Amino acid sequence: MALQIAIDGPAASGKSTDARLLAARINGLYVNTGEMYRAVAGAAYNLGIDPTKNPQDLVKLLPKWTLEYRLDNEKNTLELFFNDKPVDHAFLRSKEVSDVVSPVAAIPEVRDWMLQKQRDCAKLPIIIMEGRDIQTVVLPNATYKFFITASPEERARRRLKQGDFKDGTSLEEVAKQIKMRDHLDSTRPIAPLKPAEDALLINTDNMTPDEVVDKMVEHMRANPRQ
Ligand code: CDP
């Protein structure tokens, strides 16, 4: 079986940075499933669809859409394409998309549509997949499972520092948005955010990304796969 590493955790916990860094360290391929949900949310936003009031308007478009990670052989990275075009990363991280992504990700048909695409990625030799339900739903048999957390204050600070927000956005506003998304993600009936029973929990409050990756690699060395 391919080596599968599942990384989950709440918004702005640092898991994307850690997952990307781990992929570079062990020469693996990184899949950001949050970005996949953001791609669909971005398309809904551009069409003016309200995912809470009219989810069916979005659901009926799904069969017409394509979303896939393509391998860039030179860089040994995966690039996300929506309807055959590379996605616009800055737009997908904007407040507009962040505000609608959780309601979009709570639509059962959207999650079904994603599942096979995400499992197909996991067939690649070394895969590091990051999201909310990777260790519980998408890849429950992953070789290693990590659940990354950080305190709400630290997460708000990190997100603000990332620069996805308009100038002048306050820490409180960022914290409010993160809290709202955490609530929606962990209370939804389908695939809520939670650690798997056999996951290693890492609180990253006082850790640098390199230290987090050290800990993951240490855990993998101490638990070689059978
Ligand atoms: O970067 P950040 O942690 O803020 O969020 P993200 O990983 O880009 O994910 C955006 C949103 O997509 C989450 O808030 C979830 O609502 C949804 N998501 C999900 O439902 N399942 C996943 N496996 C990944 C993301």
Side-chain angles (χ1 to χ4, degrees), residues 10-12 15 33-35 37-38 93 101-102 105 111 130-134 159 181 185 188:
K15 61 191 185 319
T33 63
E35 191 166 62
Y37 284 101
R38 284 173 184 273
R93 300 220 57 84
V101 65
S102 288
R111 301 204 77 82
E130 173 238 318
R132 300 289 187 288
D133 60 339
I134 310 306
R159 183 50 39 100
R181 214 140 51 79
D185 292 346
R188 69 179 174 221

Side-chain angles (χ1 to χ4, degrees), residues 89-183:
H89 300 280
F91 168 62
L92 295 189
R93 300 220 57 84
S94 68
K95 180 177 186 300
E96 288 70 23
V97 175
S98 296
D99 280 346
V100 291
V101 65
S102 288
V104 165
I107 302 172
E109 290 89 340
V110 170
R111 301 204 77 82
D112 273 355
W113 188 80
M114 287 291 180
L115 194 58
Q116 200 49 49
K117 299 181 197 324
Q118 293 168 349
R119 287 191 177 149
D120 284 345
C121 290
K123 291 177 186 151
L124 292 158
I126 303 180
I127 204 83
I128 294 102
M129 194 176 290
E130 173 238 318
R132 300 289 187 288
D133 60 339
I134 310 306
Q135 54 197 260
T136 52
V137 176
V138 182
L139 306 175
N141 297 318
T143 330
Y144 297 104
K145 301 174 182 175
F146 298 103
F147 195 85
I148 308 287
T149 59
S151 65
E153 300 74 34
E154 177 61 21
R155 292 193 281 126
R157 266 194 296 274
R158 286 180 188 171
R159 183 50 39 100
L160 195 61
K161 228 166 85 185
Q162 250 176 1
D164 296 332
F165 291 86
K166 293 195 180 82
D167 288 349
T169 307
S170 69
L171 194 64
E172 287 69 34
E173 275 172 73
V174 178
K176 202 171 123 197
Q177 196 211 74
I178 289 181
K179 216 166 134 192
M180 168 77 90
R181 214 140 51 79
D182 281 353
H183 176 71

